[in-house]
Amino acid sequence: MQSDSNEQLHLAARLYYVDGWDQARVAELVRVSQAKVSRLLSLARKRGIVRITVADYDARQRSLEGELISRLGLKTAIVIKSMEDLPVSKVREITAHFATPLIESLIPPGSVIAISGGVGLQSIIHQLPMTSHAPTIVQAVGQMGTHTNLWDAQELGRSMAEKWHGKFLLLNAPVHLPNRTACEVMLKLEQIQIIKKKMSEAVVALVEIRASSHSLFADSLGKAEQDQLERTHAVGEICGRYFDNQGYECDTPLKTQSLSIEFETLRKIPQTIGVVTGGEDAMATLAAIRGSLIKSLITDESTAKTILSLIDSTLLEKKESLHYHLS
């Protein structure tokens, strides 16, 4: 750099950051190319001439968190603020960005963690920081098909184990077997027995909640299976298992031909963290909480508001029904 470069740095930084000039105008006055202005500004930041500060921002919607905890009995609720009219994919990305640092505080080092698949969980696992938690991570749901997706439990579990310097236990089997007999045969295999036992030892579960109508497993189901789920009033899905509006598993053949963590096992895990982004999954989330399938929730502001509005509408319906019968 020339001897007067420090003067250039200060002048360029002042004009750009304080006076609001664009880079082309700064280049004219400092008598350098516009490309060099960009380099000068970068160097000004590196040398500490420019120190950028941002006013403190709390990304969490604390009032909604408190309301969800008090009204639904959750252990923990993490609700991330979101701007209106954003596509779900962007809401998912923002939610994961701000929620991910908080997840570590919910998981004790050395834990056994059961993990499902899902696009929301994929965003979270992708942004997890490296730690030395050394967990044992067990795949809680079998594969959907012959092709591996980035949001499969297998991929997410392996990635989390790598980032947290832990072990990963693979459930190497399809999630849905063709019939009950085939499922019973698989469950007798020593490898599956080991995984099932480890699931029961989990102290934390990370699961994604989805409405049954757009479950990631929906496309793999036949029409007969979809009709059975509709007849049993399925509203949601966790780990390839479908449940009604009270959080009870739907009584269809899928119940006895699914290779994934059983709901009774899930209910016994001390800390089950549900991840959901998108109002279309709100009813499923409320049902999962009612059925004690999750104990903590990570979600976005819009979905949290939808869940609370569903509670209010349910209470109103009960009051109107009671009034009708008393009349």
Side-chain angles (χ1 to χ4, degrees):
M1 297 291 290
Q2 297 175 353
S3 59
D4 63 343
S5 64
N6 200 48
E7 189 71 22
Q8 284 184 320
L9 292 176
H10 279 272
L11 179 56
R14 163 65 196 236
L15 293 173
Y16 183 78
Y17 288 107
V18 179
D19 300 326
W21 289 24
D22 61 33
Q23 290 191 17
R25 193 177 174 196
V26 172
E28 289 178 11
L29 186 64
V30 182
R31 302 181 67 81
V32 295
S33 68
Q34 188 171 336
K36 187 169 182 179
V37 169
S38 180
R39 293 195 296 272
L40 287 172
L41 294 174
S42 177
L43 187 57
R45 291 194 298 272
K46 288 180 180 178
R47 291 189 180 180
I49 294 170
V50 175
R51 298 181 182 89
I52 299 174
T53 61
V54 178
D56 191 32
Y57 173 69
D58 186 0
R60 297 172 66 177
Q61 184 50 271
R62 307 276 178 170
S63 60
L64 289 178
E65 291 178 354
E67 198 169 352
L68 286 170
I69 290 169
S70 63
R71 298 186 69 178
L72 292 172
L74 291 168
K75 278 187 173 183
T76 305
I78 298 172
V79 179
I80 304 301
K81 296 174 184 175
S82 58
M83 298 177 67
E84 294 182 3
D85 301 324
L86 278 178
V88 174
S89 60
K90 295 300 180 184
V91 173
R92 188 181 299 126
E93 186 178 334
I94 291 170
T95 301
H97 174 75
F98 287 108
T100 297
L102 304 169
I103 292 176
E104 189 177 349
S105 66
L106 301 177
I107 303 176
S111 299
V112 176
I113 304 170
I115 189 169
S116 79
V119 290
L121 269 178
Q122 179 191 353
S123 293
I124 287 174
I125 301 302
H126 177 71
Q127 299 189 51
L128 277 179
M130 300 289 286
T131 75
S132 55
H133 261 41
T136 296
I137 298 171
V138 56
Q139 182 180 335
V141 54
Q143 270 73 263
M144 186 184 73
T146 55
H147 301 288
T148 300
N149 296 291
L150 293 176
W151 45 260
D152 279 344
Q154 177 180 344
E155 294 300 310
L156 299 187
R158 184 182 289 115
S159 177
M160 188 175 183
E162 182 179 344
K163 288 185 173 186
W164 282 17
H165 296 87
K167 296 186 297 183
F168 175 60
L169 300 182
L170 171 69
L171 177 56
N172 192 17
V175 60
H176 296 136
L177 278 296
N179 52 60
R180 181 173 184 168
T181 302
C183 190
E184 289 174 346
V185 170
M186 288 292 291
L187 286 169
K188 290 178 182 177
L189 296 176
E190 183 181 4
Q191 179 187 356
I192 304 298
Q193 286 288 313
I194 291 171
I195 298 296
K196 189 174 180 181
K197 181 177 183 297
K198 192 57 69 172
M199 287 179 189
S200 68
E201 297 172 2
V203 296
V204 178
L206 279 171
V207 300
E208 183 159 313
I209 308 162
R210 296 184 73 90
S212 56
S213 58
H214 71 285
S215 161
L216 295 173
F217 299 96
D219 290 343
S220 66
L221 302 179
K223 187 178 185 307
E225 293 167 320
Q226 292 176 353
D227 289 343
Q228 290 166 346
L229 289 172
E230 188 173 342
R231 284 197 297 272
T232 53
H233 308 290
V235 300
E237 173 263 312
I238 292 176
C239 292
R241 295 184 181 271
Y242 294 82
F243 53 91
D244 61 21
N245 64 2
Q246 296 301 312
Y248 295 112
E249 190 167 5
C250 294
D251 192 12
T252 75
L254 280 175
K255 184 176 180 179
T256 57
Q257 51 192 78
S258 296
L259 278 177
S260 65
I261 190 167
E262 296 174 359
F263 281 172
E264 283 309 306
T265 302
L266 197 61
R267 289 186 178 100
K268 292 175 183 177
I269 295 175
Q271 177 63 286
T272 304
I273 305 167
V275 176
V276 58
T277 46
E280 60 189 357
D281 297 317
M283 177 63 79
T285 304
L286 181 57
I289 297 170
R290 284 172 176 161
S292 300
L293 297 175
I294 63 168
K295 299 177 178 69
S296 294
L297 179 65
I298 296 173
T299 192
D300 61 281
E301 181 177 359
S302 178
T303 303
K305 288 179 178 177
T306 304
I307 292 169
L308 291 169
S309 70
L310 287 171
I311 300 172
D312 292 334
S313 63
T314 301
L315 291 174
L316 181 61
E317 288 174 5
K318 287 182 178 178
K319 286 181 180 178
E320 289 177 347
S321 177
L322 178 61
H323 177 74
Y324 173 80
H325 289 298
L326 289 176
S327 301

Short mmCIF file of all heavy atoms in Angstrom, two decimals, residues 212-260:
data_model
loop_
_atom_site.label_atom_id
_atom_site.label_comp_id
_atom_site.label_asym_id
_atom_site.label_seq_id
_atom_site.Cartn_x
_atom_site.Cartn_y
_atom_site.Cartn_z
N SER A 212 -50.55 -35.50 8.63
CA SER A 212 -50.58 -36.77 7.89
C SER A 212 -50.79 -36.54 6.40
O SER A 212 -50.31 -37.33 5.58
CB SER A 212 -51.70 -37.66 8.44
OG SER A 212 -52.95 -36.98 8.38
N SER A 213 -51.46 -35.45 6.04
CA SER A 213 -51.75 -35.18 4.64
C SER A 213 -50.51 -34.88 3.82
O SER A 213 -50.51 -35.06 2.60
CB SER A 213 -52.74 -34.03 4.51
OG SER A 213 -52.22 -32.86 5.13
N HIS A 214 -49.44 -34.39 4.46
CA HIS A 214 -48.21 -34.15 3.70
C HIS A 214 -46.99 -34.72 4.42
O HIS A 214 -45.91 -34.17 4.39
CB HIS A 214 -48.03 -32.67 3.37
CG HIS A 214 -47.69 -31.80 4.54
ND1 HIS A 214 -48.61 -31.44 5.48
CD2 HIS A 214 -46.52 -31.23 4.91
CE1 HIS A 214 -48.02 -30.68 6.39
NE2 HIS A 214 -46.76 -30.54 6.08
N SER A 215 -47.21 -35.88 5.03
CA SER A 215 -46.09 -36.63 5.61
C SER A 215 -45.08 -36.95 4.51
O SER A 215 -45.44 -37.19 3.36
CB SER A 215 -46.61 -37.92 6.24
OG SER A 215 -45.58 -38.86 6.41
N LEU A 216 -43.82 -36.96 4.89
CA LEU A 216 -42.77 -37.30 3.92
C LEU A 216 -42.87 -38.76 3.48
O LEU A 216 -42.26 -39.16 2.49
CB LEU A 216 -41.39 -37.03 4.53
CG LEU A 216 -41.10 -35.56 4.83
CD1 LEU A 216 -39.78 -35.42 5.59
CD2 LEU A 216 -41.07 -34.73 3.56
N PHE A 217 -43.65 -39.56 4.23
CA PHE A 217 -43.82 -40.97 3.89
C PHE A 217 -45.09 -41.21 3.07
O PHE A 217 -45.35 -42.32 2.65
CB PHE A 217 -43.89 -41.82 5.16
CG PHE A 217 -42.65 -41.76 6.00
CD1 PHE A 217 -42.56 -40.87 7.07
CD2 PHE A 217 -41.55 -42.55 5.73
CE1 PHE A 217 -41.42 -40.80 7.85
CE2 PHE A 217 -40.40 -42.48 6.49
CZ PHE A 217 -40.33 -41.60 7.56
N ALA A 218 -45.89 -40.15 2.88
CA ALA A 218 -47.21 -40.31 2.26
C ALA A 218 -47.14 -40.93 0.87
O ALA A 218 -47.96 -41.78 0.50
CB ALA A 218 -47.93 -38.97 2.21
N ASP A 219 -46.15 -40.52 0.07
CA ASP A 219 -46.06 -41.01 -1.30
C ASP A 219 -45.74 -42.50 -1.39
O ASP A 219 -45.97 -43.13 -2.42
CB ASP A 219 -44.98 -40.22 -2.08
CG ASP A 219 -45.40 -38.78 -2.34
OD1 ASP A 219 -46.61 -38.49 -2.23
OD2 ASP A 219 -44.52 -37.95 -2.63
N SER A 220 -45.20 -43.04 -0.29
CA SER A 220 -44.86 -44.47 -0.31
C SER A 220 -46.04 -45.35 0.10
O SER A 220 -45.94 -46.57 0.04
CB SER A 220 -43.67 -44.73 0.62
OG SER A 220 -44.03 -44.48 1.98
N LEU A 221 -47.15 -44.72 0.49
CA LEU A 221 -48.32 -45.48 0.91
C LEU A 221 -49.26 -45.72 -0.27
O LEU A 221 -49.41 -44.87 -1.14
CB LEU A 221 -49.09 -44.73 2.01
CG LEU A 221 -48.32 -44.40 3.29
CD1 LEU A 221 -49.21 -43.65 4.25
CD2 LEU A 221 -47.77 -45.65 3.95
N GLY A 222 -49.90 -46.88 -0.26
CA GLY A 222 -50.88 -47.19 -1.28
C GLY A 222 -52.21 -46.53 -0.97
O GLY A 222 -52.43 -46.01 0.14
N LYS A 223 -53.14 -46.59 -1.92
CA LYS A 223 -54.44 -45.96 -1.72
C LYS A 223 -55.20 -46.60 -0.57
O LYS A 223 -55.87 -45.92 0.22
CB LYS A 223 -55.28 -46.03 -3.00
CG LYS A 223 -56.58 -45.23 -2.90
CD LYS A 223 -57.36 -45.28 -4.18
CE LYS A 223 -58.59 -44.38 -4.10
NZ LYS A 223 -59.45 -44.66 -2.93
N ALA A 224 -55.09 -47.92 -0.44
CA ALA A 224 -55.80 -48.61 0.64
C ALA A 224 -55.29 -48.13 2.00
O ALA A 224 -56.10 -47.90 2.92
CB ALA A 224 -55.60 -50.12 0.51
N GLU A 225 -53.98 -47.96 2.13
CA GLU A 225 -53.42 -47.48 3.40
C GLU A 225 -53.84 -46.04 3.68
O GLU A 225 -54.17 -45.69 4.82
CB GLU A 225 -51.90 -47.59 3.35
CG GLU A 225 -51.40 -49.04 3.30
CD GLU A 225 -49.92 -49.13 2.94
OE1 GLU A 225 -49.47 -48.38 2.08
OE2 GLU A 225 -49.23 -49.99 3.53
N GLN A 226 -53.86 -45.22 2.65
CA GLN A 226 -54.28 -43.83 2.82
C GLN A 226 -55.75 -43.76 3.23
O GLN A 226 -56.13 -42.95 4.08
CB GLN A 226 -54.03 -43.04 1.54
CG GLN A 226 -52.55 -42.87 1.22
CD GLN A 226 -52.31 -42.18 -0.11
OE1 GLN A 226 -53.25 -41.95 -0.86
NE2 GLN A 226 -51.06 -41.88 -0.42
N ASP A 227 -56.58 -44.61 2.64
CA ASP A 227 -58.01 -44.65 2.99
C ASP A 227 -58.20 -45.09 4.44
O ASP A 227 -59.06 -44.55 5.15
CB ASP A 227 -58.76 -45.60 2.06
CG ASP A 227 -58.89 -45.05 0.64
OD1 ASP A 227 -58.69 -43.84 0.46
OD2 ASP A 227 -59.18 -45.85 -0.28
N GLN A 228 -57.39 -46.05 4.88
CA GLN A 228 -57.48 -46.52 6.27
C GLN A 228 -57.11 -45.41 7.24
O GLN A 228 -57.76 -45.24 8.29
CB GLN A 228 -56.57 -47.74 6.47
CG GLN A 228 -57.06 -49.00 5.78
CD GLN A 228 -55.99 -50.07 5.70
OE1 GLN A 228 -54.80 -49.80 5.92
NE2 GLN A 228 -56.38 -51.29 5.37
N LEU A 229 -56.09 -44.64 6.91
CA LEU A 229 -55.69 -43.53 7.77
C LEU A 229 -56.79 -42.47 7.82
O LEU A 229 -57.05 -41.88 8.87
CB LEU A 229 -54.38 -42.92 7.27
CG LEU A 229 -53.13 -43.77 7.45
CD1 LEU A 229 -51.94 -43.14 6.74
CD2 LEU A 229 -52.80 -43.94 8.94
N GLU A 230 -57.43 -42.24 6.70
CA GLU A 230 -58.51 -41.25 6.67
C GLU A 230 -59.69 -41.72 7.51
O GLU A 230 -60.29 -40.92 8.23
CB GLU A 230 -58.95 -41.03 5.22
CG GLU A 230 -59.93 -39.88 5.06
CD GLU A 230 -60.23 -39.56 3.60
OE1 GLU A 230 -59.45 -39.98 2.72
OE2 GLU A 230 -61.26 -38.92 3.35
N ARG A 231 -60.01 -43.01 7.44
CA ARG A 231 -61.13 -43.54 8.23
C ARG A 231 -60.85 -43.48 9.72
O ARG A 231 -61.78 -43.37 10.53
CB ARG A 231 -61.42 -44.99 7.81
CG ARG A 231 -62.15 -45.13 6.49
CD ARG A 231 -62.76 -46.51 6.34
NE ARG A 231 -61.75 -47.56 6.32
CZ ARG A 231 -61.13 -47.99 5.21
NH1 ARG A 231 -61.44 -47.46 4.04
NH2 ARG A 231 -60.24 -48.95 5.26
N THR A 232 -59.58 -43.58 10.11
CA THR A 232 -59.24 -43.54 11.53
C THR A 232 -58.87 -42.12 11.98
O THR A 232 -58.34 -41.93 13.07
CB THR A 232 -58.07 -44.49 11.84
OG1 THR A 232 -56.97 -44.21 10.96
CG2 THR A 232 -58.49 -45.95 11.68
N HIS A 233 -59.17 -41.13 11.11
CA HIS A 233 -59.01 -39.70 11.44
C HIS A 233 -57.57 -39.33 11.81
O HIS A 233 -57.33 -38.62 12.79
CB HIS A 233 -59.97 -39.31 12.59
CG HIS A 233 -61.38 -39.71 12.34
ND1 HIS A 233 -62.17 -39.10 11.40
CD2 HIS A 233 -62.15 -40.69 12.91
CE1 HIS A 233 -63.38 -39.67 11.39
NE2 HIS A 233 -63.39 -40.63 12.29
N ALA A 234 -56.64 -39.80 10.99
CA ALA A 234 -55.23 -39.44 11.21
C ALA A 234 -55.04 -37.94 10.96
O ALA A 234 -55.56 -37.40 9.99
CB ALA A 234 -54.33 -40.24 10.28
N VAL A 235 -54.33 -37.29 11.87
CA VAL A 235 -54.04 -35.86 11.70
C VAL A 235 -52.53 -35.59 11.59
O VAL A 235 -52.12 -34.55 11.07
CB VAL A 235 -54.62 -35.00 12.84
CG1 VAL A 235 -56.12 -35.14 12.92
CG2 VAL A 235 -53.95 -35.33 14.18
N GLY A 236 -51.71 -36.52 12.10
CA GLY A 236 -50.27 -36.24 12.11
C GLY A 236 -49.43 -37.49 12.00
O GLY A 236 -49.93 -38.62 12.09
N GLU A 237 -48.13 -37.25 11.81
CA GLU A 237 -47.17 -38.35 11.69
C GLU A 237 -45.86 -37.99 12.38
O GLU A 237 -45.37 -36.86 12.25
CB GLU A 237 -46.93 -38.65 10.21
CG GLU A 237 -45.81 -39.66 9.93
CD GLU A 237 -44.50 -38.95 9.59
OE1 GLU A 237 -44.51 -38.02 8.77
OE2 GLU A 237 -43.46 -39.34 10.19
N ILE A 238 -45.32 -38.93 13.12
CA ILE A 238 -43.99 -38.84 13.71
C ILE A 238 -43.31 -40.18 13.49
O ILE A 238 -43.87 -41.23 13.81
CB ILE A 238 -44.05 -38.53 15.23
CG1 ILE A 238 -44.58 -37.11 15.48
CG2 ILE A 238 -42.67 -38.68 15.87
CD1 ILE A 238 -44.75 -36.78 16.97
N CYS A 239 -42.11 -40.16 12.95
CA CYS A 239 -41.33 -41.38 12.73
C CYS A 239 -42.09 -42.43 11.93
O CYS A 239 -41.98 -43.64 12.20
CB CYS A 239 -40.87 -41.95 14.07
SG CYS A 239 -39.65 -40.94 14.92
N GLY A 240 -42.88 -41.99 10.96
CA GLY A 240 -43.60 -42.93 10.11
C GLY A 240 -44.81 -43.55 10.76
O GLY A 240 -45.45 -44.42 10.17
N ARG A 241 -45.15 -43.11 11.96
CA ARG A 241 -46.36 -43.60 12.66
C ARG A 241 -47.40 -42.48 12.69
O ARG A 241 -47.06 -41.32 12.94
CB ARG A 241 -46.02 -44.06 14.07
CG ARG A 241 -45.10 -45.28 14.10
CD ARG A 241 -44.85 -45.78 15.51
NE ARG A 241 -43.96 -46.92 15.52
CZ ARG A 241 -44.35 -48.19 15.42
NH1 ARG A 241 -45.65 -48.46 15.31
NH2 ARG A 241 -43.47 -49.17 15.43
N TYR A 242 -48.65 -42.84 12.47
CA TYR A 242 -49.72 -41.86 12.31
C TYR A 242 -50.62 -41.84 13.56
O TYR A 242 -50.89 -42.88 14.16
CB TYR A 242 -50.54 -42.19 11.07
CG TYR A 242 -49.73 -42.01 9.80
CD1 TYR A 242 -48.87 -43.02 9.35
CD2 TYR A 242 -49.80 -40.84 9.06
CE1 TYR A 242 -48.11 -42.86 8.20
CE2 TYR A 242 -49.03 -40.66 7.91
CZ TYR A 242 -48.19 -41.68 7.49
OH TYR A 242 -47.44 -41.50 6.36
N PHE A 243 -51.07 -40.63 13.91
CA PHE A 243 -51.87 -40.48 15.13
C PHE A 243 -53.08 -39.58 14.89
O PHE A 243 -53.12 -38.78 13.96
CB PHE A 243 -51.01 -39.94 16.27
CG PHE A 243 -50.26 -38.67 15.95
CD1 PHE A 243 -50.81 -37.42 16.21
CD2 PHE A 243 -48.98 -38.72 15.38
CE1 PHE A 243 -50.13 -36.26 15.92
CE2 PHE A 243 -48.29 -37.55 15.09
CZ PHE A 243 -48.86 -36.31 15.36
N ASP A 244 -54.07 -39.73 15.81
CA ASP A 244 -55.31 -38.95 15.70
C ASP A 244 -55.20 -37.65 16.48
O ASP A 244 -54.11 -37.30 16.97
CB ASP A 244 -56.52 -39.77 16.17
CG ASP A 244 -56.42 -40.20 17.64
OD1 ASP A 244 -55.66 -39.56 18.41
OD2 ASP A 244 -57.09 -41.17 18.01
N ASN A 245 -56.32 -36.92 16.63
CA ASN A 245 -56.24 -35.59 17.24
C ASN A 245 -56.03 -35.61 18.75
O ASN A 245 -55.90 -34.55 19.36
CB ASN A 245 -57.48 -34.75 16.89
CG ASN A 245 -58.76 -35.35 17.45
OD1 ASN A 245 -58.75 -36.37 18.15
ND2 ASN A 245 -59.88 -34.73 17.15
N GLN A 246 -55.96 -36.79 19.34
CA GLN A 246 -55.62 -36.91 20.75
C GLN A 246 -54.21 -37.47 20.94
O GLN A 246 -53.77 -37.71 22.07
CB GLN A 246 -56.64 -37.80 21.48
CG GLN A 246 -58.05 -37.22 21.50
CD GLN A 246 -58.10 -35.86 22.19
OE1 GLN A 246 -57.56 -35.69 23.28
NE2 GLN A 246 -58.75 -34.88 21.54
N GLY A 247 -53.52 -37.69 19.85
CA GLY A 247 -52.14 -38.19 19.94
C GLY A 247 -52.03 -39.69 20.10
O GLY A 247 -50.96 -40.19 20.47
N TYR A 248 -53.11 -40.42 19.80
CA TYR A 248 -53.06 -41.89 19.88
C TYR A 248 -52.82 -42.46 18.49
O TYR A 248 -53.39 -41.97 17.50
CB TYR A 248 -54.37 -42.44 20.46
CG TYR A 248 -54.60 -42.04 21.88
CD1 TYR A 248 -55.63 -41.16 22.21
CD2 TYR A 248 -53.79 -42.52 22.91
CE1 TYR A 248 -55.85 -40.76 23.54
CE2 TYR A 248 -53.99 -42.14 24.23
CZ TYR A 248 -55.02 -41.26 24.53
OH TYR A 248 -55.22 -40.86 25.83
N GLU A 249 -52.01 -43.50 18.44
CA GLU A 249 -51.68 -44.08 17.14
C GLU A 249 -52.91 -44.66 16.48
O GLU A 249 -53.71 -45.36 17.10
CB GLU A 249 -50.60 -45.16 17.30
CG GLU A 249 -50.05 -45.64 15.96
CD GLU A 249 -48.78 -46.46 16.10
OE1 GLU A 249 -48.37 -46.75 17.25
OE2 GLU A 249 -48.19 -46.81 15.06
N CYS A 250 -53.06 -44.37 15.20
CA CYS A 250 -54.22 -44.86 14.44
C CYS A 250 -54.17 -46.38 14.31
O CYS A 250 -53.10 -46.95 14.04
CB CYS A 250 -54.25 -44.22 13.06
SG CYS A 250 -54.52 -42.44 13.10
N ASP A 251 -55.31 -47.00 14.50
CA ASP A 251 -55.39 -48.47 14.50
C ASP A 251 -55.59 -48.97 13.07
O ASP A 251 -56.68 -49.31 12.64
CB ASP A 251 -56.54 -48.93 15.39
CG ASP A 251 -56.50 -50.44 15.65
OD1 ASP A 251 -55.45 -51.04 15.33
OD2 ASP A 251 -57.49 -50.99 16.15
N THR A 252 -54.48 -48.98 12.34
CA THR A 252 -54.48 -49.51 10.98
C THR A 252 -53.36 -50.54 10.89
O THR A 252 -52.53 -50.64 11.80
CB THR A 252 -54.22 -48.39 9.94
OG1 THR A 252 -52.83 -48.03 9.98
CG2 THR A 252 -55.09 -47.17 10.21
N PRO A 253 -53.31 -51.33 9.82
CA PRO A 253 -52.22 -52.31 9.68
C PRO A 253 -50.83 -51.70 9.78
O PRO A 253 -49.87 -52.38 10.18
CB PRO A 253 -52.47 -52.90 8.29
CG PRO A 253 -53.94 -52.79 8.10
CD PRO A 253 -54.34 -51.50 8.76
N LEU A 254 -50.68 -50.41 9.44
CA LEU A 254 -49.38 -49.76 9.53
C LEU A 254 -48.82 -49.81 10.95
O LEU A 254 -47.61 -49.82 11.16
CB LEU A 254 -49.47 -48.30 9.08
CG LEU A 254 -49.48 -48.03 7.57
CD1 LEU A 254 -49.70 -46.55 7.30
CD2 LEU A 254 -48.19 -48.51 6.93
N LYS A 255 -49.70 -49.84 11.93
CA LYS A 255 -49.28 -49.84 13.33
C LYS A 255 -48.41 -51.05 13.65
O LYS A 255 -47.49 -50.98 14.47
CB LYS A 255 -50.51 -49.81 14.24
CG LYS A 255 -50.21 -49.71 15.72
CD LYS A 255 -51.50 -49.60 16.52
CE LYS A 255 -51.22 -49.50 18.01
NZ LYS A 255 -52.48 -49.38 18.80
N THR A 256 -48.72 -52.17 13.01
CA THR A 256 -47.99 -53.42 13.29
C THR A 256 -47.00 -53.79 12.19
O THR A 256 -46.45 -54.88 12.22
CB THR A 256 -48.99 -54.58 13.50
OG1 THR A 256 -49.81 -54.71 12.34
CG2 THR A 256 -49.85 -54.34 14.73
N GLN A 257 -46.80 -52.90 11.24
CA GLN A 257 -45.81 -53.20 10.20
C GLN A 257 -44.87 -52.02 9.98
O GLN A 257 -44.34 -51.83 8.88
CB GLN A 257 -46.51 -53.62 8.90
CG GLN A 257 -47.60 -52.71 8.40
CD GLN A 257 -48.43 -53.32 7.29
OE1 GLN A 257 -49.32 -54.15 7.54
NE2 GLN A 257 -48.18 -52.91 6.06
N SER A 258 -44.63 -51.27 11.07
CA SER A 258 -43.70 -50.13 11.00
C SER A 258 -42.47 -50.39 11.86
O SER A 258 -42.59 -50.82 13.01
CB SER A 258 -44.39 -48.85 11.50
OG SER A 258 -45.47 -48.50 10.67
N LEU A 259 -41.30 -50.13 11.29
CA LEU A 259 -40.04 -50.26 12.02
C LEU A 259 -39.56 -48.86 12.41
O LEU A 259 -38.89 -48.18 11.63
CB LEU A 259 -38.99 -50.97 11.19
CG LEU A 259 -39.07 -52.49 11.16
CD1 LEU A 259 -38.01 -53.06 10.24
CD2 LEU A 259 -38.92 -53.07 12.55
N SER A 260 -39.98 -48.44 13.58
CA SER A 260 -39.59 -47.12 14.10
C SER A 260 -39.88 -47.14 15.59
O SER A 260 -40.49 -48.08 16.12
CB SER A 260 -40.36 -46.00 13.41
OG SER A 260 -41.74 -46.07 13.71
#
